[in-house]
Amino acid sequence: MLRSIFYATALAALVSAPVFAQDLATPTGDVLLTVSGLVENTNVDGTAQFDLEMLEALDGEEIETSTIWTEGTHTFKGVSLYVLVDALGITGENLRATAINDYAVDIPISDAVENGPIIAYRMDGETMSVRDKGPLWIIYPYDDDADYRSEVIYSRSIWQLDRVEALE
Amino acid sequence: MSRLKSSSVRARLIAFVLLAAIVLSAAIFLSTNVIRDLRLLNSASSDNVQWTLSQTEVEFLEFEMDLVTKLRDPEPDLGTLRREFDIFYSRITTLRQASIYAPLRELPDFSRNLRIVQTFLDRAVPLIDAPDAELIQALPSLIDLTADTRANVRRLSNSGLNFFANDADQRRQAVARTLTQMAAGVSILIVALLMFAVYLGYLNSQNIRRRAEAIEASRRMNIVTGTALDGVIVSDENGLILEFNAAAEQIFGHAAKDAIGRDLGALIVPDHHLAAHESGMKRIREGGERRAVGKGRIKLEAKRSNGEVFPVEFAIQSAQTDEGEIFVAFLRDISHRVEAERELVMARDRALAGEKAKTDFLATMSHEIRTPLNGLLGNLSLLHNTRLSAKQASFVKNMDTSGKLLMSHITDVLDITKYDAGKLRLRSVAMNLSTLLQDIVDNQSGAASANDTTLEWGWIGPRVDWILGDPDRIQHILMNVIGNAVKFTHGGRVAVEMSVNGAPDADPVLQISVNDTGIGMDPDLQAHIFEDFLTGDTSYERTVGGTGLGLGLAQRFVKALGGSIEVESEKGEGSTFRIFFPIAPISPPDVTAERRPGKKNLRPSHILLVEDNEINRVVAREMLSGAGHKVTEAPNGQVAVDLAAVNSFDLILMDISMPVMDGRAATRAIRAGHGVCAKTPIIALTASAMADEQEAFLADGMNNILTKPLSQESLNRVLAKHVPGQDGAAPDAGNQASAFEATYLDDLRDTLGVGALKSLLERFKQEVDGTLDFLNDPAGHSFGEIASQAHRIAGSAAMFGATALRSALIEVEQAAKRKDQARMEGAIAVLPEVWRVTRPLIQPE
């Protein structure tokens, strides 16, 4: 009897424990991105903060596409929004992305799909300065899907990104 | 008609569908246009762009404000200043590079200001990127630069705003235009749909009407077939009944509900027709010949539910339906009709039997009248040959004339009876037209000269003397017409003209016209001239006499010959009768070749006369013996058969109706037996001369028929025809040539050869010599021995053509048989003289 209660409790504890690949490291370089709000996995003050090294440690993804803001086709490398949401255990419905100049836009969590948007940190292999819309830029695969060539998606393609807040 | 209609409806439907498709595709096209425009509105970044343009100015101003703040701050945070600058820099880069601003960059005002702002950035970058101390140092000049550029940044924003305002206007107009087009398209579509709906409504109402009509037609059809008097049965090609109307129910006794679905053959076809029915249906299914379908009315038998088989008349037609071929049979119960026909046939048969009874009665009556009349005339003839006073002779002549007239009337009536009964038979013998006409003219010339009239005849065109024809009938016709002409012409002229004409490919037609200058006829009389019992002018009746059957009979004969007779006459001027009939001309027979030398010579014949009526028998006997013939008499057929078995006759004259054994049975008995006379010609003597009876006589074995009363002429004709060596003239016993017929010897010589004939003749001569010695002593022998010996030698004499000897021997035989001593001795006395004449003639070479 006692033994069975013990097993049940242990099983419940195991099941309810958050399952992450690894605990989030603490940034050592300049913080490029701060994720706050409904985030399970955090490192600094209830937020998840990333420097370039930490971002590059996550599974990277490349998108080769043109954009309406640049000339020609470029290769963007970054973290898929889908991977980030998964890695951080984000439970909200919307991601409010805010730029350095406080320009903010809401991205529904439903946009975070495989082969969907990425938070790009390199363009054509180079990191991006603020003058070049860096350091982070949300890029959708515009050339791959006509649905990504709409005004709404263009408005969500925020550049000079430095904060994301997960909202209900 | 309906197919035409439905095809036009189909064409219209197709047109509508096409139209609808066109309108629909137009609507789809317009809709995609609208969607595209909406998407353009959606995806075009004009709003965002405008925001970006305003943001350019905002970010510039933020930078400028920060710059001013930093100038006043003794220890300024240059990081924010640099970030504001970078943000603005980034914005301008976007304006310079972004594809969506390409149209904007085309604007001279925009591009000029963009270049100026870019120049500002290029100058500021070294200052911003310089170390903090230098930047602080450069802040005032940076403020000046910024102030100089502010107006350009503002113009940059505004020029873009104007452009996008215009652009938005154009877009709105394009969308409005597209929407208008679509509205128009949709309107057209709606109108088209409305029209289509109206048309469909029209079609629907038409269909409803047609359906109602079809139902009505079907109902009418059902009424028609239901009330039809004929049974109507519809079956499929397997013979299963599909429909069975009320009349069919009544005829066959099956209810429609029971009949439908059953096999036609099992239901109504009688068992003995079933196999034919099945094979017929099979043939139809296999596409073979159709013997009943579409062949009009057919009479057959059918079967009722109670098994009764009755006659039925039916017609079958086939029709193609969606379910395959069907057969429609219209049947009529004709049992009543068949019954009525049967009764009609019976009635007709009874009527025919009645008619035949009448004809038979007439024939019998004529026989019964002619037999005694025959006797009367015969006895008159005999009376005439006795010694009479002049007065008595005149009475006898008158009686004879009246009797002959009566006889001719009876013959006429009989001929009419024969013709009307269809029993008139025509002969076809070689005859000479000219001779015939000459005979008639000769015959009538006496009467003509008595009337002070000339009578003449002749050919018009080529003569055709010899033809194949029936001389008796032709003579009868001409005798009648010419006789009439002579009768009714006084002190005038009667001309008979014959001519032959006709189409080359048909039989030539003989035309005989008899033209007189007599009393003529009025048209009324002409119209009836060929009717029976017409005697013409009654005032002449007494003088000319006649039954009034003459021309009626003449016309019948002409018709029987395949010709016609017509008359043309004018009262008081005269009449012309024209007779036409086809003839078959032949070449003249070779008369000389037919007759051998000596044939002309006469010899007496031995004739067996079989006749029960004593008077008739006496008359006939007198005629024959008067002509020099030897006559043996028999009162009935049985006696004749007995006589013929042992006696040799040249000819047998056989009456038909007799007691004990009639003539026909006697003839058959003689022909069937092996008596002496089995091959002797037998001539029927009859008063009844109906054609069918005559045929029966010939079938019995008779050779010819003599119609009573007998005449010398007809007797001679028959003898000439059937007895060798006779040509009808009276024989002369004393004639040397008649004692011997060389033809017999000629034939024997041809058959046996001279040598054999010679020995035969020698033996014959010895036999005759022996017989003469034998007969020299008649008293020493019995009658039977004498008769037998005479008969034997007579047969031999006949074989060698010693006719006179034969006759003499037969006379001896006959007399011996009759035990007539005196006659026998007389006959024997003649023999040596006959033999003396004959003996040298019998030579083998």
Side-chain angles (χ1 to χ4, degrees):
Chain A
M1 180 71 179
L2 278 172
R3 184 178 289 178
S4 66
I5 291 170
F6 166 77
Y7 282 137
T9 315
L11 191 65
L14 274 171
V15 168
S16 61
V19 182
F20 299 119
Q22 64 193 60
D23 283 337
L24 208 53
T26 308
T28 51
D30 291 339
V31 172
L32 296 186
L33 179 64
T34 303
V35 183
S36 60
L38 303 168
V39 182
E40 301 274 346
N41 205 1
T42 58
N43 50 7
V44 179
D45 300 333
T47 64
Q49 294 191 355
F50 293 87
D51 58 9
L52 183 59
E53 195 184 344
M54 285 172 66
L55 285 173
E56 288 194 310
L58 291 169
D59 287 344
E61 192 175 327
E62 284 194 350
I63 293 174
E64 191 180 340
T65 184
S66 63
T67 77
I68 60 168
W69 308 279
T70 55
E71 280 182 307
T73 303
H74 301 277
T75 304
F76 295 92
K77 182 167 186 190
V79 180
S80 169
L81 213 50
Y82 167 78
V83 170
L84 189 74
V85 166
D86 192 43
L88 297 183
I90 291 170
T91 55
E93 290 298 313
N94 279 298
L95 300 172
R96 175 161 296 164
T98 308
I100 294 168
N101 64 346
D102 296 330
Y103 169 79
V105 67
D106 282 358
I107 299 170
I109 202 87
S110 57
D111 272 12
V113 293
E114 283 183 280
N115 300 320
I118 59 170
I119 299 172
Y121 43 76
R122 284 182 194 277
M123 183 170 79
D124 298 330
E126 299 294 328
T127 55
M128 295 174 284
S129 68
V130 176
R131 289 179 198 166
D132 297 327
K133 301 185 174 61
L136 299 176
W137 189 355
I138 291 186
I139 293 290
Y140 285 76
Y142 313 105
D143 288 355
D144 291 352
D145 193 337
D147 284 347
Y148 289 139
R149 293 194 291 271
S150 73
E151 191 68 24
V152 174
I153 296 299
Y154 290 151
S155 73
R156 289 173 188 167
S157 304
I158 186 169
W159 61 72
Q160 292 165 341
L161 173 76
D162 68 342
R163 283 155 289 163
V164 171
E165 188 182 6
L167 302 170
E168 288 286 332
Chain B
M1 180 66 191
S2 72
R3 185 169 292 175
L4 212 70
K5 219 177 206 169
S6 75
S7 80
S8 84
V9 165
R10 196 172 303 149
R12 258 179 268 169
L13 276 173
I14 289 170
F16 262 105
V17 168
L18 276 175
L19 184 66
I22 290 166
V23 172
L24 194 65
S25 37
I28 289 168
F29 174 72
L30 290 169
S31 301
T32 49
N33 275 1
V34 168
I35 289 165
R36 185 201 65 209
D37 285 359
L38 286 175
R39 180 169 282 179
L40 274 175
L41 281 178
N42 219 16
S43 66
S45 47
S46 59
D47 288 347
N48 197 12
V49 164
Q50 283 176 50
W51 179 83
T52 304
L53 286 173
S54 347
Q55 201 63 19
T56 306
E57 196 174 4
V58 168
E59 283 164 0
F60 181 78
L61 288 175
E62 277 180 354
F63 169 68
E64 191 178 18
M65 276 167 61
D66 202 40
L67 196 60
V68 171
T69 312
K70 295 299 182 283
L71 189 61
R72 287 180 196 149
D73 196 337
E75 280 190 19
D77 176 7
L78 293 172
T80 56
L81 181 67
R82 286 195 176 98
R83 200 170 60 195
E84 295 294 348
F85 178 81
D86 283 352
I87 288 167
F88 179 65
Y89 188 96
S90 160
R91 182 70 60 192
I92 294 303
T93 306
T94 304
L95 287 180
R96 257 191 324 118
Q97 292 178 349
S99 56
I100 52 167
Y101 301 117
L104 207 54
R105 287 195 292 270
E106 301 283 312
L107 294 175
D109 199 24
F110 182 85
S111 62
R112 189 173 58 82
N113 286 304
L114 189 60
R115 267 199 312 279
I116 292 167
V117 173
Q118 186 59 42
T119 310
F120 157 74
L121 287 177
D122 292 345
R123 282 186 195 166
V125 164
L127 300 175
I128 293 293
D129 288 352
D132 288 357
E134 286 179 30
L135 179 56
I136 291 167
Q137 207 65 43
L139 278 177
S141 61
L142 199 56
I143 286 173
D144 289 345
L145 267 175
T146 309
D148 288 348
T149 312
R150 190 193 301 137
N152 297 104
V153 172
R154 179 152 191 85
R155 274 206 286 281
L156 189 68
S157 297
N158 286 346
S159 65
L161 286 174
N162 283 338
F163 173 79
F164 283 109
N166 283 339
D167 190 47
D169 264 3
Q170 280 174 10
R171 276 171 199 279
R172 269 193 301 278
Q173 279 170 15
V175 170
R177 200 164 48 240
T178 306
L179 283 175
T180 310
Q181 283 171 357
M182 184 165 151
V186 168
S187 303
I188 291 169
L189 182 60
I190 287 170
V191 169
L193 283 175
L194 275 174
M195 281 168 64
F196 191 52
V198 168
Y199 182 61
L200 279 182
Y202 165 72
L203 280 186
N204 190 38
S205 70
Q206 231 176 16
N207 278 343
I208 289 170
R209 186 167 52 78
R210 279 194 201 134
R211 201 175 127 73
E213 278 172 6
I215 290 170
E216 175 65 18
S218 158
R219 205 171 59 81
R220 267 204 305 270
M221 199 67 216
N222 280 338
I223 292 172
V224 168
T225 55
T227 55
L229 295 175
D230 287 354
V232 179
I233 301 178
V234 181
S235 86
D236 64 11
E237 59 182 7
N238 293 315
L240 294 182
I241 294 172
L242 303 173
E243 275 184 43
F244 203 79
N245 78 340
E249 286 182 322
Q250 208 172 4
I251 291 170
F252 293 101
H254 294 286
K257 61 180 168 46
D258 302 330
I260 288 169
R262 288 189 56 190
D263 181 56
L264 188 68
L267 202 66
I268 67 164
V269 177
D271 298 342
H272 59 282
H273 288 314
L274 206 50
H277 167 77
E278 295 294 347
S279 68
M281 292 299 287
K282 187 160 173 283
R283 206 168 44 244
I284 287 170
R285 276 195 295 276
E286 288 166 357
E289 185 200 358
R290 300 184 162 199
R291 291 188 189 155
V293 177
K295 294 287 155 65
R297 292 177 173 197
I298 295 169
K299 277 186 193 171
L300 218 62
E301 288 173 321
K303 187 175 71 177
R304 292 193 219 275
S305 60
N306 60 9
E308 181 195 340
V309 173
F310 65 101
V312 72
E313 186 179 71
F314 68 94
I316 301 180
Q317 279 298 343
S318 67
Q320 287 293 344
T321 68
D322 293 342
E323 284 82 34
E325 190 165 26
I326 60 165
F327 298 96
V328 185
F330 298 87
L331 303 105
R332 185 173 297 175
D333 181 352
I334 55 168
S335 45
H336 293 300
R337 200 176 82 194
V338 168
E339 178 63 21
E341 280 171 3
R342 203 179 59 79
E343 280 171 8
L344 259 175
V345 167
M346 277 172 62
R348 188 202 61 190
D349 288 350
R350 274 199 299 270
L352 285 177
E355 187 65 23
K356 186 176 185 311
K358 225 158 68 182
T359 310
D360 289 350
F361 172 75
L362 268 174
T364 309
M365 278 306 292
S366 80
H367 172 79
E368 294 302 330
I369 293 168
R370 289 208 302 181
T371 302
L373 189 57
N374 198 12
L376 264 173
L377 288 171
N379 280 297
L380 275 174
S381 173
L382 295 176
L383 185 61
H384 187 68
N385 292 338
T386 58
R387 180 178 291 276
L388 297 170
S389 68
K391 209 167 190 179
Q392 284 171 325
S394 164
F395 292 154
V396 167
K397 192 174 182 300
N398 287 345
M399 284 165 74
D400 188 60
T401 305
S402 297
K404 279 178 177 158
L405 192 60
L406 179 56
M407 188 62 87
S408 95
H409 290 344
I410 291 167
T411 307
D412 283 358
V413 170
L414 205 75
D415 279 342
I416 287 174
T417 311
K418 277 196 250 179
Y419 180 87
D420 292 349
K423 288 171 177 170
L424 189 70
R425 303 289 164 98
L426 294 176
R427 294 200 295 155
S428 185
V429 298
M431 56 171 282
N432 189 319
L433 281 170
S434 297
T435 310
L436 180 73
L437 200 60
Q438 184 63 57
D439 285 350
I440 293 167
V441 167
D442 289 349
N443 179 284
Q444 292 291 319
S445 58
S449 52
N451 279 349
D452 205 12
T453 297
T454 54
L455 173 60
E456 55 197 24
W457 75 278
W459 282 91
I460 306 288
R463 286 168 72 106
V464 179
D465 285 346
W466 286 93
I467 62 163
L468 278 179
D470 188 333
D472 296 345
R473 307 304 182 197
I474 297 171
Q475 180 181 9
H476 193 112
I477 297 161
L478 294 178
M479 194 67 121
N480 241 295
V481 175
I482 295 170
N484 271 342
V486 169
K487 243 194 280 186
F488 293 109
T489 306
H490 295 265
R493 179 170 167 273
V494 174
V496 183
E497 289 167 351
M498 290 206 288
S499 62
V500 174
N501 41 42
D505 53 341
D507 277 346
V509 173
L510 179 70
Q511 178 185 333
I512 305 167
S513 57
V514 179
N515 202 339
D516 70 55
T517 56
I519 56 168
M521 290 172 279
D522 55 32
D524 260 5
L525 187 60
Q526 281 180 52
H528 301 288
I529 191 77
F530 294 112
E531 290 176 5
D532 290 337
F533 305 110
L534 193 99
T535 49
D537 192 340
T538 44
S539 63
Y540 274 92
E541 205 168 349
R542 266 184 209 93
T543 50
V544 299
T547 51
L549 288 171
L551 281 176
L553 194 59
Q555 193 189 35
R556 283 175 173 85
F557 285 165
V558 171
K559 281 182 181 171
L561 291 169
S564 62
I565 181 166
E566 59 188 38
V567 65
E568 203 177 290
S569 180
E570 200 165 323
K571 185 92 177 163
E573 297 291 325
S575 308
T576 301
F577 282 79
R578 290 192 190 86
I579 299 155
F580 308 86
F581 56 86
I583 53 169
I586 54 168
S587 49
D590 189 352
V591 182
T592 52
E594 224 176 39
R595 300 195 173 182
R596 288 178 183 253
K599 197 164 183 185
K600 275 203 152 156
N601 299 327
L602 309 172
R603 68 175 184 88
S605 297
H606 190 184
I607 295 168
L608 174 62
L609 176 63
V610 191
E611 169 70 83
D612 63 321
N613 184 302
E614 202 184 341
I615 300 170
N616 282 353
R617 195 166 70 230
V618 169
V619 170
R621 187 190 71 207
E622 289 304 317
M623 280 183 182
L624 292 167
S625 55
H629 299 294
K630 189 178 166 211
V631 179
T632 303
E633 295 171 51
N636 63 52
Q638 188 57 58
V639 175
V641 172
D642 294 345
L643 281 171
V646 291
N647 296 291
S648 172
F649 295 103
D650 297 311
L651 192 78
I652 301 172
L653 291 175
M654 182 78 80
D655 186 29
I656 300 301
S657 325
M658 287 179 295
V660 186
M661 179 187 273
D662 70 17
R664 295 181 57 187
T667 304
R668 288 195 295 270
I670 290 167
R671 291 284 182 247
H674 300 284
V676 182
C677 293
K679 300 276 187 284
T680 300
I682 301 176
I683 309 299
L685 286 177
T686 179
S688 68
M690 302 299 286
D692 54 347
E693 286 182 336
Q694 295 191 7
E695 292 208 341
F697 299 163
L698 297 179
D700 285 333
M702 292 184 178
N703 301 68
N704 211 336
I705 291 140
L706 272 180
T707 309
K708 287 190 232 177
L710 286 176
S711 68
Q712 193 68 57
E713 189 196 345
S714 60
L715 264 175
N716 286 343
R717 200 172 63 229
V718 166
L719 282 168
K721 193 170 174 187
H722 293 285
V723 181
Q726 287 285 351
D727 68 352
D732 179 358
N735 191 314
Q736 180 194 332
S738 75
F740 177 66
E741 277 275 15
T743 48
Y744 289 83
L745 221 47
D746 291 345
D747 285 348
L748 281 172
R749 193 179 297 119
D750 290 346
T751 312
L752 302 171
V754 177
L757 183 61
K758 194 177 176 183
S759 66
L760 273 178
L761 287 177
E762 284 310 312
R763 221 169 73 191
F764 173 60
K765 285 173 186 172
Q766 287 169 13
E767 273 183 351
V768 176
D769 291 341
T771 303
L772 287 180
D773 291 345
F774 171 83
L775 290 174
N776 264 337
D777 179 19
H781 306 287
S782 71
F783 285 120
E785 285 170 344
I786 293 169
S788 174
Q789 181 70 14
H791 178 78
R792 200 167 57 79
I793 303 303
S796 302
M799 190 172 72
F800 296 113
T803 48
L805 180 63
R806 176 173 172 271
S807 296
L809 282 167
I810 285 170
E811 178 59 26
V812 172
E813 181 196 349
Q814 295 295 326
K817 277 184 176 169
R818 286 168 191 278
K819 302 183 172 58
D820 187 339
Q821 187 72 34
R823 184 177 160 197
M824 189 179 78
E825 283 173 358
I828 290 171
V830 174
L831 279 175
E833 174 58 19
V834 171
W835 182 231
R836 190 188 60 77
V837 173
T838 306
R839 202 169 197 278
L841 295 172
I842 300 174
Q843 295 298 333
E845 286 176 64

